[in-house]
Amino acid sequence: MSNNIKVLPKISLNQTFVCNRLLNKPQGFIKFPKIDIHQSIGSRFETIVQKYPQAIAIKSKTEFLTYAQLNNRANRLANSILSQRGEKAETIALLLEKGTNFFVSIFGILKTGKIFIPLDTGFPQERLAYILEDTQVNLIITNSLNLPLANQLAVNGCQIFNIDDISPDVSSQNPDKEISPNAPAYLIYTSGSTGKPKGVIHNHLHSLHYCMNDTNTLLISSKDRVIFLYSCGALGGILCLFYTLLNGASLYIFNVKEDGFTNLINWLIAEEITIYHSFATLFRHFIDSFTGTEQFPKIRLVKLGGEATLQRDVENYRKYFSDNCVLYASLGATETGTFCNFIVDKDSKITTSTVPIGYPVADMEIVLLNEAGAEVEYGDIGEIAVKSKYLALGYWRKPEQTKTAFLPAAENTEERIYRTGDLGRIEPNGCLIHMGRKDFQVKIRGFRVEVAEIEMALFKTGKLKEVVVVAREDIANEKKLVAYVVSPEQIKLTSKELRDNLQAQLPEYMIPSAFVFLEKLPLTPNGKVDRLALPAPNLALENSVSARDELERQLVEIWQTVLGVQPIGVQDNFFELGGDSLLAVRIFAQIEQKLGYQIPLAALFPSATVEAIAKIIQQKQHQSKPDWSSLVKIQSQGSKPPLFLVHSLGGEVLCYHNLANYLGAEQPIYALQPRGLDGKQPPFVRVEDMAAYYIKEIQTVQPQGPYFLAGYSFGGVVAFEMAQQLQKQGQKIGLVVMLDTCRPGCSQRSSFSQRVLIHLDNLIQQGPYYIWHKAVGLSQVYKYQLQQVYKRFSNIVPKVSNTAVDAPPSEKYSEIMGANTQALDNYNFQKYSGNVTLFRTEDKHRKSAVGIKYDPQFGWGDLVENLDVDYIPGSHVSLLYEPYVKVLAQKFQVCLEKAQMLGDR
């Protein structure tokens, strides 16, 4: 008997042996049988919907969908497409942000039998345009948010379908369409060796095979909650989507670049996430943001893919995750899906710098090949090749590349062999060890990158003689792209010029961290580029300005630690120092932890220096005032008459931040917050008293008119009353603007009692979870009121397991909300002889209210002598936030300038 034969441990009914570990089966785990891969993805999904209709399928910061709701929306999209375009095979692009619409569209298109191409809206427009041209896309699915970009990209007769415009009258029944498991399902674009990205084609059968292996390896159950961190355009994201939603589990969407690592930590804990899945580099950045006290008791599995898992990753897993949690290291490719896994638990002994790749999944055989394509001798290093009949179909419209990359395994079999370009060695026990790349492909942050594509993009500038791009690891386990360039003597280029040029062509992860300018490239004796002789980049910039105070010194220290560069000057550019978006997230997490200031990631982009960040923090330090006032200074500079913005029903004025930024530095802006926020004085309970008090406040800044007033929602009513009182005082009114302000009795949002009817209907359909969902996206006042609805009606609506309604806001806010609601209910509206501009949204939710009269003028037509109504995109909740606030600000600016010109006469 061979010494290599292992005796497997005895397995109980509640355990299973996965790869190299004996694991306990999670509650609710149901094995994915192989027979179930012989159907369409849509068919499997519809089976899951029948089993778990009211379970949460997808949740984002502001929205959630049950499986029934996700299926209904996908069906409406599918039925709309089929009715408009028929059943012919065609490619359809998804141009959507990472949100519920993205997942709705994937299942909607899969149900039509057509092929979807997911596009990452963060990619450069040139790259998106190439993909659309290469795939010969006939239709782009988008939404109102991304419609302007879609209009720019749609050429050669390509049509646009706005998912926000689907009629509620379209059937939400499953389409009556038979789809072959062998039909192509989607294209994923990956970096190409010819300088252009190439599309990899996957069908339904193979995708369900990937899902089967993921399900049975990760032991996915309907109880799992999976964090979604991947790009929408990467295969890793599609695989994560399928193993979650084709098993009845819940997918939780999170955008690290927008929301940062601190919020990710909080979300993982608050939402009781059970599976963390990302590429290994993101995991490292995430861990580096920890303070040392973080614990994640509910996470049972950490899955790292896309690149090698390091010893350091294992140590961090052991430190921060519970004893019941296991770590999965995996290897895959866009052409194969995940083909190897290795499981680490708290007792695993890892003796090498990288974790073994592990053991092949079902129906995937690993062979090691030499340059000639023959298998290497036992124990030798060779190129990792995957032999299976479940590989990708090939490359879109590239038959020669497909023929070269996918080789027949043997005659009269369906198996093919895909050579991955990775080197490996197989241990005597069958475990695969990764030994690096064999060609000029590299893995950067989980993405496979052909350096030839970056070199081609640099050559397209027309200003370079020679270019070589390599991945260097000058800091242990920190792989970065470095470009070595040679330009003609008469042309002087800078790193910034090259970086700016590439940003218009390549995604952010493909932009080199450093550019090294050489007189000539070093060559080997036989005339090839000597890559080993290329010098390490010197990222420390010349003529740097040292830190001039303690704040700048602390910031420089953070930058040096995160970037691994010394010395750094306060005027050195973050990106020229090798920074990227993930490093930026880490830096801002460090600033929050060590200095106590939350700063948006976008603060880096105007100047990207320590000096600029220090100024932002100094401004924050001086914003607080010792004496509380209703008057809040947002922007005091500028020579124009000031604009005064009145708080909404909830009392906060931070919602005006984006609007103020867009109105510019020359427009002084003040906000009015309600009395009582300091907890020392009682809030007003009459609109008339609020208006009189706020007039006294604004006259400390501007004693005489003309006055320019505005307010969002309830604030518009107060601004309206202030204009009435100022007019009676003989003051001139320059402008009154209401932002989506409804007069009570005129629309769905007219009064609390009418809103109850609408919310109650949704509550009955969705359960108490609806309350929580609405509260996330709305102001504190709506949150409070919805909680009161829940308290009144929770006894007559169906219960939903594992849901909870947040506790009511603090006593202070509750008091202010109640006072403002009382003031609105008792306000006596009078006619106004001046001009009023109403910016109102389409907000289709208003139209869904049955039996409630809908007034396009929101009830102001019979009160205001000269009413100007202007429509803006977005909804009542979103109009002050990106991207809608930009449109609002542009229209607001025109209004202001016109009124200011009239006021000067």
Side-chain angles (χ1 to χ4, degrees), residues 707-718:
Y707 290 101
F708 297 82
L709 310 171
Y712 163 57
S713 194
F714 170 74
V717 175
V718 181

Side-chain angles (χ1 to χ4, degrees), residues 138-209:
N138 305 106
L139 183 69
I140 298 175
I141 304 290
T142 191
N143 57 4
S144 299
L145 177 64
N146 296 288
L147 187 59
L149 177 58
N151 284 325
Q152 295 176 38
L153 292 170
V155 296
N156 300 325
C158 179
Q159 296 182 350
I160 294 174
F161 187 103
N162 188 338
I163 195 172
D164 291 337
D165 290 341
I166 295 179
S167 170
D169 297 330
V170 175
S171 171
S172 61
Q173 297 299 309
N174 295 328
D176 184 17
K177 179 171 173 57
E178 202 66 36
I179 299 170
S180 167
N182 296 308
Y186 54 92
L187 297 177
I188 298 291
Y189 269 75
T190 184
S191 183
S193 58
T194 61
K196 293 289 187 182
K198 56 189 177 185
V200 182
I201 315 167
H202 292 275
N203 66 8
H204 291 256
L205 174 70
H206 297 176
S207 298
L208 287 175
H209 186 269

Side-chain angles (χ1 to χ4, degrees), residues 715-755:
V717 175
V718 181
F720 175 79
E721 173 60 24
M722 289 173 68
Q724 299 266 33
Q725 293 187 20
L726 284 166
Q727 202 176 56
K728 291 175 182 177
Q729 293 176 14
Q731 296 286 356
K732 187 175 181 181
I733 308 300
L735 182 68
V736 177
V737 172
M738 297 179 182
L739 304 178
D740 220 43
T741 300
C742 285
R743 176 185 166 198
C746 317
S747 78
Q748 169 186 337
R749 302 179 185 274
S750 60
S751 69
F752 176 63
S753 59
Q754 291 174 326
R755 289 198 298 273

